[in-house]
Amino acid sequence: MIRLDGLRKIFPTKNGNVTAVENVNLDIQDGEIFGIIGYSGAGKSTLVRLLNALEKPTEGSVTIAGNNLSKLNNKQLRAARRDISMIFQHFNLLWSRTVRQNIAFPLEVAGIPKAKRRKRVEELIQLVGLEGRGDSYPSQLSGGQKQRVGIARALANNPKVLLCDEATSALDPKTTDAILDLLVDINRKIGLTIVLITHEMHVIRKISHRVAVMENGGVVEQGSVIDIFRNPKQEITKDFVKQVSEIDNTQETARLLAEQFPEGIIVKLTFIGKSAGEPIISKLFKRSNVDVNILEGDVSQTRGDSFGKLYLQLQGNSKAVEDALAFCREQGVETEVISHAEGTVPARRLG
């Protein structure tokens, strides 16, 4: 559906050239929810403008639904843009128009007959959950309702791609989750390809299938959300994963416990998918000859699966400990020894 090849964007300034996007290569599949995450200045906003052809690349190409946008003439580009729609952080609604009139606006511009406009608007009002608010003005709506209007308006002309530029950043957490649930529902019902631009890992974790991490204009890491959570490689990716993890001080905890319990070791267990919901620790208590002290743990829900981490302190003879770790591995759980009695040691991952 979307292919970015060697994408580069340079802006000339009086102080010299500024490279906003550098050698970006991405393939986004039809019907996928794809997240692009980065901090301010990473190049996300420029990338969005390249995706909807508001900016032309200095080098490389943007191909959407088979159209290389940089090779189209103005007429062809206007036609191609009908397949690409967008929602914004601050809604961009017309304040003098009602909900119905805001949703109908792109249909009016496209010259759709009045009867068809009216039917389409009512369909969209139901799709985004705004029944009974069709005659309200934006000033009478909550932030979440305004964004629902923005989503309905963006869907009016049946686009193939929906770009979401920090679409939940102005919303409170509860409303953010409701809007994300709506996007998932829309993706499931009509197979819409959605590209999420955000700086919030919670947004990526909740609904994206895959994610690309941007820094200094380039993509430094990409993959399935579950793989990124499971094994982030770049420091910036690790920072983003920590946004939704409660375990930021585990190494310090491990060091202190190793001092308090010199005969024990600290182990990290990683649960993926089905194993995250299994009573593995309960079984471990019943069958092992080790003392188990639970230190910290959490489970994260991604769009496709569950991912959990649990930190244990194990005490017992070396054979009993190895048997306990072997049992965990048999259950599909990764094990990693992160600390021994003498202090923190290099990680040893098994399973």
Side-chain angles (χ1 to χ4, degrees):
M1 171 57 72
I2 302 174
R3 185 178 181 86
L4 309 183
D5 283 313
L7 202 60
R8 192 180 193 208
K9 181 63 180 180
I10 298 175
F11 292 102
T13 72
K14 63 181 181 180
N15 295 319
N17 291 337
V18 174
T19 302
V21 171
E22 179 65 64
N23 194 33
V24 170
N25 299 279
L26 292 176
D27 280 294
I28 301 173
Q29 304 302 313
D30 189 17
E32 184 174 30
I33 300 180
F34 191 92
I36 298 174
I37 190 168
Y39 291 121
S40 178
K44 307 188 304 298
S45 296
T46 301
L47 188 62
V48 169
R49 293 177 65 82
L50 291 167
L51 283 170
N52 58 23
L54 292 177
E55 295 284 354
K56 289 188 176 182
T58 306
E59 294 178 15
S61 62
V62 177
T63 303
I64 297 181
N67 294 311
N68 185 335
L69 301 186
S70 61
K71 293 186 176 181
L72 302 180
N73 60 37
N74 288 338
K75 182 179 179 180
Q76 292 169 329
L77 187 57
R78 285 194 296 271
R81 279 190 178 132
R82 286 198 286 269
D83 289 334
I84 309 165
S85 200
M86 191 163 175
I87 56 176
F88 306 88
Q89 178 179 356
H90 296 296
F91 322 126
N92 286 14
L93 302 181
L94 300 170
W95 294 89
S96 61
R97 285 179 169 241
T98 65
V99 167
R100 284 192 177 89
Q101 292 168 341
N102 266 282
I103 297 172
F105 181 69
L107 299 171
E108 294 174 22
V109 173
I112 303 300
K114 189 173 182 179
K116 289 186 176 181
R117 290 203 308 263
R118 187 182 300 115
K119 180 181 178 182
R120 179 62 175 157
V121 167
E122 294 306 317
E123 290 173 352
L124 290 166
I125 284 176
Q126 291 187 24
L127 178 65
V128 302
L130 285 173
E131 296 92 336
R133 303 312 301 262
D135 294 323
S136 299
Y137 288 89
S139 61
Q140 299 170 313
L141 303 177
S142 67
Q145 289 170 333
K146 291 172 188 173
Q147 194 57 283
R148 288 173 186 267
V149 177
I151 292 170
R153 182 183 60 186
L155 298 178
N157 281 316
N158 293 299
K160 295 178 181 177
V161 174
L162 179 64
L163 305 178
C164 304
D165 187 13
E166 300 282 6
T168 59
S169 294
L171 305 175
D172 62 77
K174 184 176 180 180
T175 305
T176 291
D177 283 345
I179 293 298
L180 295 176
D181 288 340
L182 174 60
L183 291 174
V184 170
D185 188 52
I186 291 169
N187 170 259
R188 182 174 57 248
K189 286 180 177 177
I190 65 178
L192 183 68
T193 302
I194 299 175
V195 180
L196 290 170
I197 309 295
T198 184
H199 64 274
E200 299 174 293
M201 200 61 179
H202 166 73
V203 172
I204 298 296
R205 182 194 69 180
K206 187 172 176 66
I207 71 170
S208 296
H209 297 104
R210 291 191 299 138
V211 60
V213 182
M214 289 193 72
E215 185 178 29
N216 297 324
V219 172
V220 297
E221 192 165 355
Q222 62 176 300
S224 70
V225 172
I226 192 69
D227 286 343
I228 292 297
F229 267 82
R230 179 183 179 183
N231 187 28
K233 295 180 174 61
Q234 302 297 321
E235 287 303 316
I236 187 172
T237 311
K238 293 175 183 178
D239 286 343
F240 280 123
V241 170
K242 285 180 182 179
Q243 286 185 6
V244 289
S245 173
E246 296 178 357
I247 305 175
D248 293 336
N249 63 339
T250 305
Q251 289 293 334
E252 179 63 16
T253 301
R255 186 186 65 79
L256 293 173
L257 282 167
E259 292 175 357
Q260 295 175 29
F261 302 97
E263 70 277 17
I265 66 170
I266 310 300
V267 178
K268 180 175 79 170
L269 304 184
T270 302
F271 304 81
I272 305 292
K274 183 181 177 181
S275 66
E278 295 291 324
I280 293 171
I281 301 305
S282 175
K283 294 177 182 178
L284 181 63
F285 277 126
K286 293 176 181 178
R287 73 178 304 281
S288 71
N289 291 317
V290 298
D291 292 324
V292 181
N293 183 18
I294 297 176
L295 308 182
E296 298 184 69
D298 69 354
V299 175
S300 297
Q301 298 295 328
T302 70
R303 173 74 188 276
D305 230 327
S306 299
F307 168 72
K309 292 180 288 184
L310 185 63
Y311 291 82
L312 305 178
Q313 191 255 350
L314 304 180
Q315 298 180 61
N317 64 57
S318 58
K319 184 179 186 308
V321 169
E322 286 299 329
D323 287 346
L325 296 179
F327 168 76
C328 291
R329 295 193 293 273
E330 289 169 4
Q331 307 304 306
V333 179
E334 287 187 2
T335 66
E336 182 180 350
V337 177
I338 63 172
S339 177
H340 281 286
E342 61 270 21
T344 302
V345 298
R348 179 168 60 94
R349 177 172 292 172
L350 301 171

